[in-house]
Amino acid sequence: MFTVKTLNKISNVGLSKFDEAKYTIDDNTQSPDAIMVRSAAMHDMEMPESLLAIARAGAGVNNIPIPKCTDLGIAVFNTPGANANAVKELVICGLLLASRKVTKAIDWCKTIKDEGDNVGKTVEIKGKTLAVIGLGAIGRLVSEAAVDLGMNVIGYDPFLPAGASLKPGITVNNNLDEIFPVADYITLHVPL
């Protein structure tokens, strides 16, 4: 029987995947075999001698002391792509909020009588250029959604495999000096 300590709330949908005959989930144990963490900072945490592995429920591992874990023989792994869709939705929301200035737009909309054709040009993201720095799981989803919204998308990823399949409408340029001047928006999807 292995004991898994949770440092953050982990969805019961995920926790139910653990075979109860083999695993006990306990957020109070002092001697866990494994730790599941989302965003809790572990850098100042004393690692129990019983600890064999740390699982990060998310893509990054910047909240886990990797060198310390390596020295102690603790395996660390993450779940890249698991929250990619949620992050994509937040990025698209941010693009719309930034473009539309939603809180100010409510008052502004009351004042635009007879503006007609000029309205769309000032507030729409359609036709604008989005630079996506990092074309991993999240960056690709953001790029594809932006193309679907009518944006011009320029991707940057020097580690993108040759011949990687990208949705039509996404161009790749690995020269940031050429991308930044033409981008209306820039979104970063790279490790911290």
Side-chain angles (χ1 to χ4, degrees), residues 109-131:
C109 285
K110 296 174 187 174
T111 69
I112 58 168
K113 199 174 3 174
D114 301 321
E115 288 294 317
D117 293 337
N118 292 326
V119 173
K121 294 176 185 151
T122 60
V123 298
E124 289 186 358
I125 62 174
K126 182 178 181 181
K128 301 255 173 80
T129 300
L130 173 65

Side-chain angles (χ1 to χ4, degrees), residues 11 48 93 106 126 146 153 162 169-170:
S11 170
C93 177
I106 294 169
K126 182 178 181 181
V153 178
I170 302 169

Side-chain angles (χ1 to χ4, degrees), residues 9-146:
K9 283 284 192 190
I10 305 291
S11 170
N12 284 331
V13 173
L15 294 177
S16 68
K17 304 287 184 188
F18 285 93
D19 182 344
E20 291 180 7
K22 297 179 183 175
Y23 300 95
T24 300
I25 309 298
D26 181 356
D27 59 356
N28 294 314
T29 183
Q30 298 303 309
S31 300
D33 297 294
I35 291 177
M36 289 184 65
V37 61
R38 290 182 61 196
S39 58
M42 297 182 67
H43 289 281
D44 295 329
M45 182 177 164
E46 188 66 36
M47 300 297 169
E49 287 186 30
S50 59
L51 192 59
L52 302 172
I54 299 172
R56 165 70 163 88
V61 291
N62 55 300
N63 57 323
I64 301 170
I66 302 294
K68 182 178 181 180
C69 291
T70 300
D71 290 344
L72 295 171
I74 300 168
V76 175
F77 52 96
N78 61 353
T79 56
N83 62 346
N85 190 66
V87 175
K88 172 204 73 176
E89 290 176 359
L90 289 172
V91 171
I92 298 301
C93 177
L95 286 170
L96 293 170
L97 287 171
S99 179
R100 301 278 179 151
K101 297 181 177 107
V102 172
T103 56
K104 293 179 182 178
I106 294 169
D107 291 331
W108 178 74
C109 285
K110 296 174 187 174
T111 69
I112 58 168
K113 199 174 3 174
D114 301 321
E115 288 294 317
D117 293 337
N118 292 326
V119 173
K121 294 176 185 151
T122 60
V123 298
E124 289 186 358
I125 62 174
K126 182 178 181 181
K128 301 255 173 80
T129 300
L130 173 65
V132 180
I133 311 303
L135 292 171
I138 295 170
R140 285 187 190 196
L141 287 175
V142 169
S143 298
E144 292 171 359

Side-chain angles (χ1 to χ4, degrees), residues 143-155:
S143 298
E144 292 171 359
V147 167
D148 290 343
L149 290 169
M151 297 186 80
N152 303 310
V153 178
I154 303 171

